[in-house]
């Protein structure tokens, strides 16, 4: 009796489907009946509702785990999705009915929708809900207590440009379950800060207030006072934060996994020294706008010392330090944003070794090779993406979806683009001109990329 081929085993096929690019999933589903059964759940797992998908929903609704419904999807016939986990509603006027049909969801996102009284009568029935995301809306004054009472069950809360009246029972409540909080452009700062003070187990905080208000100093004071002893991930996405506040924040953390902060001034080497004790735990680092010239080698030290790093956004890095430095150990990295600075006299020798370092990042999803913070003039020389310089060393980047070299000088040709299409099979987008020197060649390269479904 012949044994079954591995690519006919449903469990193996279902596992493979998890790693196939979404652009290739429909083709895989058409191979055979067995492949169809294995790949179709992945196609329908996470969807934006469209007229075409609405027509097929009755057949595939049991596969849907994340559903986004927009303003134009006004249909009375949307079937129930029994395995739905996340529901995103954007300007959807029939939100109450849709939520009522999916009381088992664990995440609800409401965008640009008035929180009507009917919705508040439903919220207490969402017993499995652990994450609430409110954007561009307001909490009705008469429902303030209902909102805070509902928040006592949440583990994750996102409030983006949301008005919350300062009244009700907040001063007598506690929110021990809340672990993750995102606040963007708070309209009622004192209310939000009081709420935050009653979240003793907060571990992840993202805060964006533009411009940096004097009142935001209260937040820095609360962090420095160790109001949240479990806090390990901080994203302060203001227009800018004074360096002295950044120092106080870093000094208050026992363990740091994520730090995102745009500093108002040049980051001094002494400030960077505060990051080193956290190299073993860091997963995300973005210190934004300015870096002292003496810190240009710090990025190399981070990349060769942080094994858990997944996202790094840095200003500039000395390419010689990268080429001559220790091997990069951050093989989990998914986003890298760096402007490589080369010495014109040694660039031909240094660049292949820089490619070798980047090639270690085989999980990379987004690669940005330019000055994103605007500290350099446009059209700077960065990594030269040509085969003669070592581009072929980057064949390991099979998960790469986006590469961004905008405002840099590239001189790629047809052979480079053909190599890219063959080896970077997950690529969705290229940001920047592939050949800035010759507009005719650039037009040919754009056409070739678009024929293969790559946006430029």
């Amino acid at each position: 009796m012949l044994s079954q081929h591995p690519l006919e085993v449903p469990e193996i096929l279902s596992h493979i489907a998890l790693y196939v690019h979404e652009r290739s999933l429909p083709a895989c589903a058409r191979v055979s009946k067995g492949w169809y059964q294995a790949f179709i759940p992945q196609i329908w797992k996470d969807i934006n509702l469209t007229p075409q998908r609405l027509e097929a929903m009755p057949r595939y609704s049991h596969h849907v785990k994340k559903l986004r419904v927009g303003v134009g999807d006004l249909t009375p016939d949307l079937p129930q999705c029994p395995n739905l986990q996340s529901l995103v509603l954007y300007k959807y006027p029939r939100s109450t009915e849709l939520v009522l049909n999916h009381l088992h969801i664990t995440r609800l996102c409401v965008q640009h929708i008035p929180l009507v009284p009917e919705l508040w009568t439903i919220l207490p029935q969402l017993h499995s809900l652990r994450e609430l995301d409110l954007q561009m809306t307001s909490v009705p004054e008469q429902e303030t207590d209902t909102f805070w009472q509902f928040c006592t069950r949440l583990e994750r809360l996102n409030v983006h440009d949301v008005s919350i009246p300062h009244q009700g029972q907040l001063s007598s409540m506690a929110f021990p379950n809340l672990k993750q909080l995102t606040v963007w452009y708070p309209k009622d700062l004192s209310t939000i800060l009081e709420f935050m003070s009653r979240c003793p187990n907060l571990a992840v905080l993202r805060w964006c207030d533009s411009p940096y208000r004097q009142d935001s100093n209260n937040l820095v004071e609360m962090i420095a006072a160790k109001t949240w002893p479990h806090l390990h991930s901080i994203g302060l996405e203001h227009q800018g934060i004074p360096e002295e506040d950044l120092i106080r924040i870093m000094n208050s953390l026992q363990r740091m996994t994520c730090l995102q902060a745009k500093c108002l001034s040049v980051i001094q080497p002494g400030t960077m020294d505060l990051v080193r004790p956290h190299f073993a735990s860091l997963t995300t680092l973005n210190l934004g706008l300015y870096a002292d010239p003496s810190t240009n080698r710090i990025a190399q030290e981070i990349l060769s010392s942080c094994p858990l790093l997944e996202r790094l956004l840095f200003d500039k890095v000395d390419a010689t330090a990268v080429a001559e430095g220790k091997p990069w150990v951050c093989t989990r990295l998914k986003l890298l944003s760096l402007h490589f600075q080369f010495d014109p006299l040694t660039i031909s020798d240094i660049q292949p070794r820089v490619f070798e370092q980047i090639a270690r990042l085989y999980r990379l999803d987004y690669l940005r090779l330019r000055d994103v913070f605007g500290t350099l003039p446009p059209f700077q020389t960065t990594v030269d993406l040509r085969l003669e310089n070592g581009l072929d060393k980057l064949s390991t980047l099979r998960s790469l979806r986006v590469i961004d070299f905008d405002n840099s000088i590239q001189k790629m040709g047809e052979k480079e683009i053909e190599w890219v299409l063959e080896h970077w099979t997950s690529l969705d987008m290229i940001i920047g001109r592939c050949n800035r020197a010759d507009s005719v060649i650039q037009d040919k390269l754009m056409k070739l990329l678009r024929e293969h479904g790559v946006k430029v």
Side-chain angles (χ1 to χ4, degrees), residues 128-341:
S128 299
L129 198 73
R130 294 296 176 264
E131 180 175 354
L132 180 63
D133 187 341
L134 300 178
Q135 301 182 26
M136 306 290 183
T137 186
S138 60
V139 176
E141 189 171 309
Q142 66 274 18
E143 301 294 349
T144 304
D145 287 343
T146 303
F147 173 73
W148 292 127
Q149 188 62 45
F150 182 72
C151 287
T152 60
R153 299 181 351 212
L154 296 176
E155 296 177 3
R156 295 175 296 278
L157 175 64
N158 176 15
V159 285
H160 185 158
D161 202 4
V162 175
S163 177
I164 307 174
H166 185 73
Q167 61 176 23
Q169 303 177 5
L170 177 60
S171 58
S172 62
M173 300 181 72
F175 306 89
N177 293 319
L178 198 72
K179 306 292 194 307
Q180 182 172 322
L181 176 64
T182 300
V183 179
W184 284 64
Y185 310 120
K187 292 185 175 180
D188 310 278
L189 189 59
S190 59
T191 302
I192 289 294
L193 291 176
E194 182 175 354
F195 163 66
M196 291 169 62
S197 71
R198 302 181 180 282
C199 304
N201 296 314
L202 193 65
V204 177
L205 172 63
R206 290 189 66 199
W207 179 278
C208 181
D209 190 9
S210 178
Y212 185 73
R213 290 192 278 181
Q214 189 65 31
D215 290 343
S216 295
N217 286 340
N218 295 331
L219 175 63
V220 175
E221 294 291 338
M222 294 171 73
I223 296 174
K226 301 185 179 181
T227 304
W228 306 287
H230 304 290
L231 192 66
H232 61 80
S233 176
I234 299 180
L236 300 176
E237 302 177 39
H238 312 95
Q239 281 191 341
I241 181 173
E243 187 176 18
E244 57 268 26
D245 286 349
L246 184 62
I247 291 173
R248 295 181 67 197
I249 288 171
M250 287 196 284
N251 277 328
S252 70
L253 300 180
Q254 293 185 352
R255 182 176 73 97
M256 184 166 65
T257 61
C258 170
L259 179 61
Q260 300 188 78
K262 296 179 180 178
C263 198
L264 283 170
S265 58
V266 171
I267 298 174
Q268 301 298 326
T271 303
M272 291 305 304
D273 289 341
L274 298 176
V275 180
R276 287 190 177 90
H278 305 285
F279 276 178
S281 59
L282 267 178
T283 62
T284 300
L285 182 62
N286 175 10
L287 290 181
L289 295 176
Y290 305 102
D292 186 88
S294 61
T295 66
N296 281 10
R297 292 174 174 263
I298 294 291
Q300 163 59 23
E301 184 180 354
I302 293 169
L303 289 161
S304 60
S305 306
C306 301
L308 302 182
L309 198 64
E310 296 181 1
R311 295 168 57 89
L312 176 64
L313 294 91
F314 215 78
D315 192 3
K316 298 178 284 289
V317 63
D318 184 341
T320 301
V322 171
E324 297 177 352
K326 296 179 181 178
W328 290 357
V329 298
C330 50
T331 55
R332 299 187 182 191
L333 205 68
K334 295 180 180 178
L335 184 152
L336 176 63
S337 179
L338 276 178
H339 179 82
F340 291 84
Q341 291 192 305

Side-chain angles (χ1 to χ4, degrees), residues 57 364 373:
M57 277 287 281
L364 207 60
F373 301 115

Side-chain angles (χ1 to χ4, degrees), residues 7-10 13-14 28-29 31-40:
L7 292 182
E8 294 177 353
V9 178
L13 284 172
S14 297
C28 293
V31 170
S32 67
K33 183 177 180 180
W35 280 50
Y36 175 86
Q37 293 173 343
F39 285 89
I40 205 71

Side-chain angles (χ1 to χ4, degrees), residues 315 371-377:
D315 192 3
D371 167 38
V372 69
F373 301 115
T375 59
L376 293 172

